[in-house]
């Protein structure tokens, strides 16, 4: 059944269909629709089995999620930007305790200065917390990836928290038709959660998240790493199951006209659609350009992306984030992945679209021009900033 939904609502409808036991949340723009809708579902009886916990901060929201998940509940929450950063301490605890919490994040720029518009610095800053990370291009993907997040996170081979990210305002506040399966179809895909690990129980007391002395701490981190590696296979399995049931195909890495491409653009999120249209335009002009969209950032899809880029001359990574004094985060991940490859393309990272600035064909034309110049031997200083108005810089 098609519904016309904002991105935030699409994520909330998916969460409702997942039948969470607990939703703990503190509202923050631009993800506020999510807790509003979840509280509405609880209040009007659509989620009679769910406890909605309004808390006093995002730190408290994630802390409440940890407590609820530790007793075996299916748990979700939502946040954005500074809210995700306020949760940052507890993100590590959720992962370290192997709690399959699901978080919906509306990607928003970090302050200062205060900015409520889109970039991906918030979730990129959380990429090393031990959370699986999915990124949606549009509202349908936001809906689907929320359900997929529950399925992957709760798999006994994984048991790690997962976040689904959707670009602020570009998706969160725009309406699109979203295919919403029936509750019966969702129940068949995502049955009730049955925790397969030790949980808090006053009748069978255990200590969870205890003091980790040096003799044990490294082994705990190693098991988290193995769980994230296990997630690679589980994600593929869940993607295939989802396609079989609902007809929509998902991949960690989504190639578009890369087979003979000399230049490949790599994107995350809503800019991917614009980039594919630009590739079509460039192809009509006789230029060998392709694109790759990353749907999964953690675990990083090394083995999927390397065969797709090995024959290209230049890889242009479009980054809506910046590691000050270095460059883009995805550039760093990909550079590490190919450093030992014998034949590898030249990587360039382009910083653009920060703070909600649109990514346009003009920007992509500039990126393509830089790549063509580099192929001809011109040197450029990376990262390459696109669209900076130098008249505004003192």
């Amino acid at each position: 059944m098609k519904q016309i939904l904002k991105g935030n609502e699409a994520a909330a409808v998916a969460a409702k269909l997942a039948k969470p036991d607990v939703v703990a949340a503190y509202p923050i723009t631009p993800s506020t629709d999510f807790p509003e809708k979840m509280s509405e579902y609880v209040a009007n009886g659509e989620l009679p089995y769910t406890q909605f916990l309004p808390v006093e901060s995002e730190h408290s929201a994630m802390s409440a999620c940890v407590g609820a998940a530790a007793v075996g509940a299916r748990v979700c929450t939502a946040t954005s930007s500074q809210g995700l950063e306020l949760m940052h301490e507890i993100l590590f605890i959720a992962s370290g305790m192997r709690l399959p919490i699901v978080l919906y994040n509306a990607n928003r720029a970090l302050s200062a200065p205060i900015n409520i518009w889109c970039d991906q610095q918030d979730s990129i800053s959380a990429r090393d917390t031990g959370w699986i990370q999915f990124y949606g291009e549009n509202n349908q993907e936001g809906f689907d990836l929320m359900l997929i997040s529950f399925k992957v996170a709760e798999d006994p081979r994984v048991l790690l928290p997962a976040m689904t990210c959707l670009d602020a305002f570009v998706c969160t506040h725009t309406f699109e038709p979203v295919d919403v399966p029936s509750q019966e179809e969702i129940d068949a895909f995502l049955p009730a959660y049955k925790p397969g690990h030790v949980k808090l129980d006053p009748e069978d007391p255990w200590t969870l998240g205890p003091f980790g002395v040096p003799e044990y701490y490294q082994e705990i981190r190693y098991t988290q790493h193995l769980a994230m590696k296990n997630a690679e296979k589980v994600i593929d399995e869940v993607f295939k199951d989802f396609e079989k049931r609902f007809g929509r195909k998902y991949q960690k890495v989504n190639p578009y006209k890369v087979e003979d491409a000399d230049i490949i653009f790599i994107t995350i999120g809503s800019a991917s659609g614009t980039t594919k249209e630009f590739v079509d335009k460039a192809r009509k002009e006789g230029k060998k350009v392709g694109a790759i969209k990353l749907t999964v950032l953690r675990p990083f899809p090394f083995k999927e992306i390397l065969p797709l880029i090995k024959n290209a001359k230049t890889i242009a990574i479009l980054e809506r984030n910046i590691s000050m004094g270095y460059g883009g985060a995805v550039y760093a991940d990909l550079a590490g992945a190919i450093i030992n490859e014998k034949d590898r393309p030249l990587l360039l990272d382009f910083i653009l679209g920060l703070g909600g600035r649109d990514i346009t064909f003009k920007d992509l034309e500039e990126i393509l021009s830089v790549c063509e110049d580099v192929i001809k031997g011109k040197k450029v200083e990376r990262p390459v900033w696109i669209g900076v108005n130098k008249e505004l810089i003192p």
Side-chain angles (χ1 to χ4, degrees):
M1 175 179 170
K2 293 282 186 181
Q3 296 184 29
I4 306 300
L5 299 172
K6 291 190 290 184
N8 285 337
E9 293 175 337
V13 171
K16 180 186 75 168
L17 291 168
K19 297 181 178 178
D21 300 299
V22 175
V23 179
Y26 183 86
I28 181 172
T29 301
S31 65
T32 302
D33 291 325
F34 184 97
E36 285 182 348
K37 295 300 291 185
M38 297 307 289
S39 64
E40 178 183 316
Y41 298 144
V42 172
N44 67 16
E46 292 184 66
L47 285 176
Y49 30 70
T50 300
Q51 185 171 1
F52 182 81
L53 300 178
V55 293
E56 70 275 10
S57 74
E58 291 87 358
H59 188 281
S60 299
M62 186 52 63
S63 297
C65 287
V66 165
V71 300
R74 174 173 285 169
V75 182
C76 66
T77 186
T79 193
S80 183
S81 186
Q82 309 301 135
L84 185 62
E85 301 315 309
L86 189 53
M87 289 179 175
H88 197 78
E89 173 191 2
I90 314 301
L91 297 181
F92 285 95
I93 294 173
S95 176
M97 290 177 63
R98 305 294 297 279
L99 302 174
I101 299 164
V102 170
L103 182 150
Y104 165 66
N105 184 66
N107 280 122
R108 168 191 150 187
L110 294 169
S111 64
I114 295 172
N115 180 296
I116 63 169
W117 291 273
C118 169
D119 65 35
Q120 293 155 349
Q121 191 72 50
D122 52 359
S123 57
I124 290 291
S125 298
R127 67 186 175 140
D128 297 329
T129 58
W131 282 61
I132 298 163
Q133 288 196 353
F134 296 99
Y135 289 81
E137 178 184 342
N138 51 48
N139 297 357
Q140 183 70 65
E141 291 193 4
F143 174 89
D144 294 343
L145 291 171
M146 280 293 289
L147 294 167
I148 288 167
S149 290
F150 282 104
K151 183 89 168 179
V152 172
E154 293 173 358
D155 190 288
R157 294 167 291 177
V158 179
L159 290 176
L160 288 173
M163 65 176 71
T164 288
C165 303
L166 203 60
D167 283 349
F169 294 104
V170 181
C171 295
T172 61
H173 285 65
T174 57
F175 288 87
E176 292 182 343
V178 175
D179 182 63
V180 179
S182 68
Q183 184 67 69
E184 292 73 21
E185 290 174 305
I186 298 301
D187 289 345
F189 171 73
L190 184 67
Y193 174 48
K194 296 179 180 179
H197 55 77
V198 172
K199 60 181 181 179
L200 291 177
D201 184 351
E203 302 301 321
D204 183 23
W206 289 78
T207 298
L208 300 185
F211 191 70
V213 295
E215 289 80 4
Y216 296 100
Y217 184 89
Q218 184 162 316
E219 285 70 24
I220 293 169
R221 284 289 176 264
Y222 179 62
T223 61
Q224 282 179 265
H225 175 70
L226 292 181
M228 188 65 79
K229 296 296 290 181
N230 289 343
E232 296 176 4
K233 179 180 179 181
V234 173
I235 290 169
D236 288 337
E237 292 174 1
V238 173
F239 280 171
K240 289 179 181 178
D241 184 28
F242 191 92
E243 181 183 8
K244 182 179 179 180
R245 293 175 185 273
F246 305 114
R248 291 185 290 280
K249 183 176 181 178
Y250 283 89
Q251 302 175 110
K252 300 189 192 84
V253 175
N254 303 269
Y256 187 71
K257 299 185 177 180
V258 300
E259 293 81 3
D260 63 341
D262 291 330
I263 298 169
I264 298 175
F265 293 170
I266 293 182
T267 60
I268 294 179
S270 61
S272 303
T274 304
T275 303
K276 283 184 284 188
E277 289 191 20
F278 179 79
V279 166
D280 290 341
K281 174 178 176 292
R283 285 280 176 169
K284 290 177 181 178
E285 296 169 356
K287 298 179 179 180
K288 292 183 178 181
V289 183
I292 292 174
K293 176 181 72 174
L294 299 185
T295 298
V296 179
L297 186 63
R298 282 295 181 274
F300 191 81
F302 295 107
K303 67 176 183 290
E304 289 85 2
I305 198 170
L306 291 179
L308 298 173
I309 66 173
K310 65 179 182 179
N311 295 322
K313 295 179 181 178
T314 300
I315 307 300
I317 306 167
L318 281 59
E319 307 263 18
R320 265 186 152 150
N321 71 87
I322 176 66
S323 178
M324 306 300 178
Y326 178 77
V330 181
Y331 171 90
D333 285 344
L334 191 53
I338 72 169
I339 189 64
N340 292 324
E341 297 295 314
K342 182 178 179 181
D343 298 314
R344 57 180 185 264
L346 179 67
L347 301 187
L348 292 173
D349 54 337
F350 294 86
I351 311 300
L352 72 165
L354 301 187
R357 189 167 296 185
D358 289 335
I359 295 176
T360 67
F361 272 25
K362 180 181 178 182
D363 298 326
L364 299 178
E365 288 282 7
E366 185 177 349
I367 291 170
L368 179 58
S369 177
V370 171
C371 291
E372 290 172 334
D373 287 344
V374 168
I375 290 173
K376 294 174 184 176
K378 183 178 179 179
K379 301 294 184 181
V380 297
E381 181 179 351
R382 58 151 299 271
V384 182
W385 288 76
I386 299 296
V388 173
N389 185 350
K390 295 186 179 179
E391 293 181 0
L392 299 178
I393 300 173

